[in-house]
């Protein structure tokens, strides 16, 4: 039997999550964020499953967008960080990509180019996150500049991004909403436009801010975007379940060390299982003792340092376990947020961290078995 580290990916759960999101924001168009290899789930596989059900796909680089065109994806694709060099504006023009403008050099590039077709443009404003986007006081001038450019299609759309939408009580959220609203009101008197503010957390928290487009990422993949509510409470289902198997078992005497650095020492005689999955597969090396691992559906506890290819568990909760038994590391019946609590990670980096040697199996529909781009 070959190594059994696999990611089982559920088309059904992906489409279910999309339905839940659309129910939250029934009047908005959906930009499904598939950047970073669709949060580790496979850019092509996810995009081809979503294409017929969403209005646009969101990527971070033109390379990702071109891969999608290459496999025949025809719906609009937005370059969420815009062009990284002038030539990308030309490519975006011919491919019909939507381009975010967030930095004045991007407008200079545009002024010096002759694009074959008008570009679908978004102006990104910094409503308070302090990352990408024009400051509110300078943004109206850049909006005017884009409006006057013959290389830009109308309408020019406006977007911004929340810094703390996962924390409902954070006062920055309302400040950002107020700043964004003020800006779009000032723009509305100049020209028709369309707006987008909400990521997954915003979609669930701020129905008044859904505007024309929502931009769900993590919720599509079935992890909770909110610190205060679990995925199940939001009716989201995990798209990815990481599965492997038990490859060795032994009874270890009280006082025996387990794994690198002898971080864990058996406090009493313990049945210990070795599982074929390590940080070389994407299970974080920083995971602490006690992280839950499902062996034959029984919740066991991780013990000792995560190795490149293996982890160890205390099998006390699963006395009938035998070599070859199935193991789940996160996904169905084991929310990824629970694992994140035992690491320095959040669900986003756990999902994007799953490595290429893990085999991907999609349930139903098209079967792209590689998780690579
Ligand atoms: C501009 C933008 N919009 C939307 C998203 C989706 O965010 P989330 O995964 O929290 O829904 C991201 C993700 O980082 C983003 O950068």
């Amino acid at each position: 039997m070959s190594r059994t580290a696999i990611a089982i990916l559920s088309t059904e759960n992906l489409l279910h999550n999309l339905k839940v999101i659309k129910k939250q924001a029934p009047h908005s168009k959906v930009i499904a964020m598939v950047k970073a290899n669709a949060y580790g789930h496979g850019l092509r596989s996810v995009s081809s499953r979503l294409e017929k059900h969403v209005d646009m796909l969101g990527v971070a680089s033109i390379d990702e967008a071109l891969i999608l065109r290459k496999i025949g994806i025809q719906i609009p694709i937005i370059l969420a960080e815009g062009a990284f060099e002038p030539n990308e504006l030309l490519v975006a023009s011919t491919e019909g990509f939507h381009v975010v403008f967030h930095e004045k050099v991007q407008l200079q590039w545009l002024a010096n180019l002759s694009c074959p077709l008008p570009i679908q443009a978004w102006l990104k404003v910094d409503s308070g996150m302090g990352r990408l986007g024009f400051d509110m006081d300078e943004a109206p001038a850049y909006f005017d500049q884009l409006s006057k450019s013959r290389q830009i299609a109308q309408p020019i759309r406006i977007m911004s991004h929340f810094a703390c939408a996962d924390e409902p009580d954070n006062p920055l959220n309302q400040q950002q909403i107020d700043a964004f609203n003020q800006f779009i009101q000032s723009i509305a008197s100049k020209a028709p436009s369309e707006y987008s503010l909400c990521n997954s957390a915003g979609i669930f928290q701020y129905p008044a801010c859904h505007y024309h487009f929502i931009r769900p990422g993590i919720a599509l993949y079935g992890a909770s975007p909110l610190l205060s509510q679990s995925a199940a409470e939001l009716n989201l289902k995990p798209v990815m379940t990481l599965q492997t198997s038990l490859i060795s078992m032994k009874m270890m005497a009280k006082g025996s060390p387990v794994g690198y650095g002898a971080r864990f020492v058996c406090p009493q005689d313990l049945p210990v299982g070795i599982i074929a999955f390590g940080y070389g597969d994407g299970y974080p090396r920083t995971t602490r003792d006690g992280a839950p691992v499902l062996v034959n559906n029984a919740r066991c506890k991780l013990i000792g340092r995560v190795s490149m290819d293996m982890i160890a568990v205390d099998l006390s909760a699963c006395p009938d376990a035998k070599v070859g038994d199935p193991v789940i590391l996160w996904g169905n019946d084991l929310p990824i947020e629970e694992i994140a609590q035992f690491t320095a990670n959040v669900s986003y980096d756990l999902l994007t961290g799953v490595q290429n040697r893990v085999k991907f199996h999609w349930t139903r529909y098209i079967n792209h078995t590689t998780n690579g781009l």
Side-chain angles (χ1 to χ4, degrees):
M1 187 178 66
S2 63
R3 194 162 183 270
T4 50
I6 56 172
I8 297 166
L9 296 125
S10 166
T11 305
E12 205 175 322
N13 288 359
L14 178 68
L15 297 180
H16 164 87
N17 296 335
L18 178 61
K19 210 186 264 182
V20 170
I21 290 164
K22 283 184 170 179
K23 210 168 155 199
Q24 289 290 319
H27 306 298
S28 303
K29 292 181 187 162
V30 178
I31 304 175
M33 299 306 287
V34 294
K35 61 188 183 139
N37 199 21
Y39 287 46
H41 294 68
L43 176 66
R44 297 180 183 90
S45 307
V46 169
S47 302
S48 50
R49 281 165 174 78
L50 290 179
E51 182 182 14
K52 288 194 176 60
H53 309 282
V54 300
D55 301 281
M56 210 181 287
L57 296 166
V59 297
S61 74
I62 205 155
D63 296 340
E64 292 171 316
L66 287 170
I67 286 167
L68 293 179
R69 283 285 182 266
K70 213 168 170 184
I71 63 160
I73 300 273
Q74 287 175 354
I75 63 171
I77 299 170
I78 181 169
L79 308 177
E81 289 165 34
F84 289 79
E85 56 172 29
N87 187 46
E88 293 189 359
L89 290 173
L90 292 174
V91 177
S93 155
T94 47
E95 295 288 344
F97 296 149
H98 286 226
V99 179
V100 172
F101 288 85
H102 57 80
E103 176 56 51
K104 48 183 179 302
V105 71
Q106 295 170 326
L107 285 115
Q108 287 159 9
W109 294 338
L110 182 72
N112 295 329
L113 287 173
S114 176
C115 293
L117 294 165
I119 291 177
Q120 300 286 341
W122 291 70
L123 186 79
K124 184 160 187 177
V125 293
D126 185 354
S127 54
M129 182 174 183
R131 201 178 61 176
L132 283 190
F134 292 108
D135 288 346
M136 288 297 183
D137 53 346
E138 58 179 9
Y142 291 114
F143 183 86
D144 292 343
Q145 204 176 320
L146 283 174
S147 300
K148 284 184 198 138
S149 169
R150 274 202 239 126
Q151 318 219 60
I152 294 292
Q154 299 296 327
I156 296 153
R157 301 173 180 91
I158 314 286
M159 68 182 285
S160 193
H161 194 46
F162 280 119
C164 304
D166 56 334
E167 301 169 35
D169 298 332
N170 196 310
L172 184 54
N173 295 328
Q174 195 54 49
Q175 288 165 26
Q176 287 197 255
I177 292 168
D178 293 344
F180 190 72
N181 279 335
Q182 209 179 340
F183 181 73
I184 60 179
Q185 274 158 26
S186 73
I187 290 301
S189 61
K190 293 185 185 198
S193 181
E194 292 181 323
Y195 319 123
S196 177
L197 179 60
C198 285
N199 57 356
S200 300
I203 293 165
F204 286 95
Q205 290 294 325
Y206 302 113
C209 301
H210 289 159
Y211 304 116
H212 303 87
F213 291 89
I214 51 168
R215 309 191 307 268
I218 196 76
L220 272 176
Y221 304 102
S224 175
L226 302 174
L227 294 175
S228 53
Q229 276 177 285
S230 69
E233 284 167 336
L234 297 171
N235 191 19
L236 298 171
K237 298 181 180 177
V239 175
M240 179 193 290
T241 294
L242 275 189
Q243 191 176 296
T244 183
S245 63
L246 201 57
I247 56 169
S248 173
M249 290 172 58
K250 59 180 97 165
M251 195 67 198
M252 299 195 65
K254 179 180 175 181
S256 307
V258 176
Y260 280 121
R263 180 179 83 179
F264 183 86
V265 176
C266 296
Q268 71 253 353
D269 292 356
L270 270 192
V272 172
I274 305 298
I275 285 166
F277 209 95
Y279 64 80
D281 301 292
Y283 197 88
R285 187 172 177 275
T286 54
T287 314
R288 295 190 299 277
D289 288 341
V293 175
L294 292 185
V295 180
N296 256 342
N297 293 323
R299 284 173 82 95
C300 298
K301 290 182 176 168
L302 177 105
I303 52 175
R305 196 175 283 168
V306 173
S307 307
M308 188 181 287
D309 314 307
M310 283 168 275
I311 55 174
V313 288
D314 171 356
L315 287 172
S316 304
C318 190
D320 300 329
K322 50 189 187 319
V323 168
D325 277 355
V327 171
I328 287 176
L329 298 164
W330 67 61
N332 283 338
D333 303 321
L334 187 51
I336 193 166
E337 293 83 358
E338 280 196 47
I339 310 306
Q341 282 165 13
F342 282 86
T343 72
N345 303 63
V346 288
S347 55
Y348 295 76
D349 54 334
L350 292 180
L351 290 171
T352 53
V354 175
Q355 298 296 303
N356 274 335
R357 73 173 175 178
V358 175
K359 294 188 182 85
F360 275 41
H361 293 307
W362 277 91
T363 61
R364 295 179 48 188
Y365 195 43
I366 309 159
N367 192 9
H368 290 286
T369 50
T370 168
N371 64 340
L373 287 172

